[in-house]
Amino acid sequence: MKLNQTEGHWHRDLAKSISSIDKLIQEDVAACEKLERSELEKIKSHLDIRVPATFLDEIKKNNTALAKQFIPTRSELIFFPEELEDPIGDHIFSPVPGLTHRYPDRVLFKPTYTCASYCRFCFRRTQVSHQKSNAETYRAAFHYISEHSEIWEVILSGGDPLVLPDPILEQIMTELAKIPHIKIIRLHTRIPSVLPTRITPQLIALLKGSGKSIWVAVHINCAEEFTPACTQALSTLAENGIPVVLQSVLLKDINDSEDALISLLKTAVENRVKPYYLHYPDLARGTEHFRIPLKKAIALVKGLRGKISGLSIPQLIIDLPEGKGKIPVNAHKMVEVSENFWELESPIDGSLIQIRYPQEPRKEQK
Ligand SMILES: *Cc1c(COP(=O)(O)O)cnc(C)c1O
Ligand code: SF4
């Protein structure tokens, strides 16, 4: 296949990422030099390695927030008893390979298990970089979706759906376009941050060509990820009428301070990206070094309300094991003390306000 010019850029940029142990050792990135080759090989066997070229200079300057996300460390080989192979129970609600149907009106479809960078905290690390999709799994997924008219939204996740070449994405869009009950196609992607040149005019055209409402949930964890190229990619999406929301993971030493979190969230809004979910890290094996105590996570998020614009505030989310689903964590106290009588915590000064809200049905006052 001959690539035209803009199309060619992203393939070239992807090829520049560091994905072999030799190259990693050669590039001499700080955290890696202390690891033996055999350790790196062991780590790679759990989750492949790929450091995005776009952050290499910053990583070499010891930018912890970027280095810790992409550079493998020995901690990944330490497993704790509460950590799970399938931390959110993807397989429990999987009617056909690559598809998870946990919530009635939407399915998660993984058309690929490859990513443009491998995040060391990846919660799907036993699938990502190991499993493969093929024509048969695609056929089965499209068939299931078309047979289930309660499905309103298809979430393309993975892996990263945007590492797929245009002809494959076009095929997915064409298949979904044929299904009348599908109104929304949402893409979960890290690409605008780690491979921004992938957001080409051709890509936009093929997404819009589906005729469905396209939403993008971009995965970004620190303000430094909003490079000029990333800002450009996000603008392209916004200017083409594709709403973008932010999904971040709350990560130790990466965004677990109030300053780092506020900087991330405000930079997102400045880029027309609405913070949607802030995930407490799932209990994936070998990821303990990324978790902070839940109590601290709640306090951090609580500190945002009443301080920064509501536009910048995401919902803190825990995704329960065994497919029990996502739950929003309420940071502020809210207790029904007695029938319709509530005690609520003020985000301004922390005081507890007691307040009666109306009962139902209500008799008219004469
Ligand atoms: C996270 C997830 C979704 C999306 O949930 P939203 O709350 O709509 O963002 C859908 N399906 C599965 C299986 C998921 O894990
Ligand atoms: S982009 Fe997502 S799926 Fe891919 S390695 Fe990172 S967290 Fe995992």
Side-chain angles (χ1 to χ4, degrees):
M1 185 177 49
K2 197 167 177 296
L3 300 168
N4 71 31
Q5 226 190 355
T6 30
E7 180 68 354
H9 282 312
W10 74 269
H11 290 281
R12 207 178 50 205
D13 290 343
L14 183 59
K16 279 194 234 153
S17 63
I18 299 180
S19 58
S20 76
I21 289 175
D22 282 338
K23 211 166 155 197
L24 196 62
I25 293 171
Q26 211 177 45
E27 288 287 348
D28 198 24
V29 247
C32 275
E33 58 199 13
K34 295 177 218 93
L35 289 174
E36 301 290 334
R37 177 179 291 271
S38 61
E39 285 175 300
L40 282 167
E41 271 159 11
K42 198 153 179 215
I43 293 168
K44 196 174 190 289
S45 75
H46 287 284
L47 174 71
D48 211 344
I49 294 168
R50 184 173 261 159
V51 184
T54 175
F55 299 139
L56 198 55
D57 288 344
E58 279 301 306
I59 289 174
K60 284 185 176 169
K61 284 188 222 151
N62 267 331
N63 181 318
T64 320
L66 292 169
K68 196 175 172 188
Q69 291 191 66
F70 304 108
I71 306 292
T73 59
R74 204 168 272 139
S75 315
E76 285 175 57
L77 298 173
I78 305 169
F79 302 147
F80 289 87
E82 70 275 16
E83 294 179 339
L84 306 164
E85 286 274 331
D86 180 10
I88 60 169
D90 266 352
H91 73 282
I92 298 172
F93 290 90
S94 181
V96 297
L99 207 68
T100 304
H101 193 186
R102 179 180 301 141
Y103 305 99
D105 75 339
R106 55 210 191 277
V107 284
L108 192 106
F109 176 39
K110 292 168 275 192
T112 178
Y113 295 90
T114 303
C115 296
S117 65
Y118 291 107
C119 315
R120 306 324 301 170
F121 50 86
C122 181
F123 68 110
R124 241 178 229 139
R125 56 198 292 119
T126 56
Q127 302 169 44
V128 165
S129 81
H130 302 289
Q131 293 187 30
K132 288 213 165 12
S133 300
N134 57 38
E136 186 44 49
T137 54
Y138 277 27
R139 249 196 311 276
F142 297 136
H143 181 71
Y144 180 89
I145 296 167
S146 64
E147 294 281 289
H148 287 258
S149 57
E150 74 276 22
I151 303 173
W152 170 81
E153 177 183 24
V154 174
I155 300 167
L156 301 177
S157 183
D160 197 316
L162 293 184
V163 292
L164 292 169
D166 284 356
I168 305 233
L169 274 174
E170 189 149 24
Q171 183 206 339
I172 295 173
M173 290 295 148
T174 308
E175 289 300 323
L176 294 177
K178 287 187 211 156
I179 308 173
H181 55 265
I182 298 306
K183 309 293 184 198
I184 313 290
I185 301 173
R186 188 199 318 179
L187 293 108
H188 279 188
T189 180
R190 201 150 176 29
I191 290 274
S193 154
V194 298
L195 189 65
T197 47
R198 173 67 181 107
I199 310 298
T200 59
Q202 294 89 327
L203 173 69
I204 300 287
L206 81 82
L207 295 177
K208 285 166 107 178
S210 68
K212 306 290 186 187
S213 175
I214 306 287
W215 286 66
V216 166
V218 66
H219 171 188
I220 295 181
N221 301 315
C222 65
E224 294 97 312
E225 290 181 52
F226 292 88
T227 57
C230 172
T231 290
Q232 175 63 51
L234 294 168
S235 267
T236 304
L237 293 167
E239 276 149 27
N240 279 284
I242 299 176
V244 186
V245 297
L246 176 73
Q247 294 214 71
S248 308
V249 188
L250 184 55
L251 297 163
K252 190 176 181 175
D253 308 327
I254 293 167
N255 56 21
D256 66 333
S257 69
E258 189 174 271
D259 284 352
L261 205 53
I262 290 180
S263 174
L264 162 68
L265 299 168
K266 287 195 154 179
T267 309
V269 177
E270 288 161 22
N271 281 274
R272 288 175 277 184
V273 176
K274 168 76 186 92
Y276 175 53
Y277 284 167
L278 177 64
H279 294 269
Y280 184 72
D282 299 325
L283 295 170
R285 274 155 56 87
T287 61
E288 163 89 4
H289 54 300
F290 287 105
R291 279 186 288 278
I292 60 170
L294 183 56
K295 231 186 262 177
K296 194 183 161 202
I298 295 170
L300 261 172
V301 172
K302 194 171 178 178
L304 301 176
R305 184 61 70 178
K307 188 174 284 166
I308 61 169
S309 163
L311 279 181
S312 320
I313 302 182
Q315 177 70 61
L316 178 63
I317 292 284
I318 297 178
D319 210 334
L320 295 169
E322 294 177 26
K324 296 289 182 188
K326 292 185 177 69
I327 49 166
V329 181
N330 266 337
H332 290 87
K333 194 174 168 194
M334 181 171 182
V335 186
E336 190 174 15
V337 190
S338 60
E339 187 77 9
N340 292 309
F341 190 67
W342 292 80
E343 191 167 73
L344 307 169
E345 185 181 358
S346 160
I348 303 297
D349 59 11
S351 59
L352 291 175
I353 310 298
Q354 296 196 329
I355 180 165
R356 185 174 297 283
Y357 285 110
Q359 304 195 19
E360 216 187 2
R362 185 162 169 125
K363 290 211 175 69
E364 227 178 283
Q365 294 254 325
K366 288 268 153 61

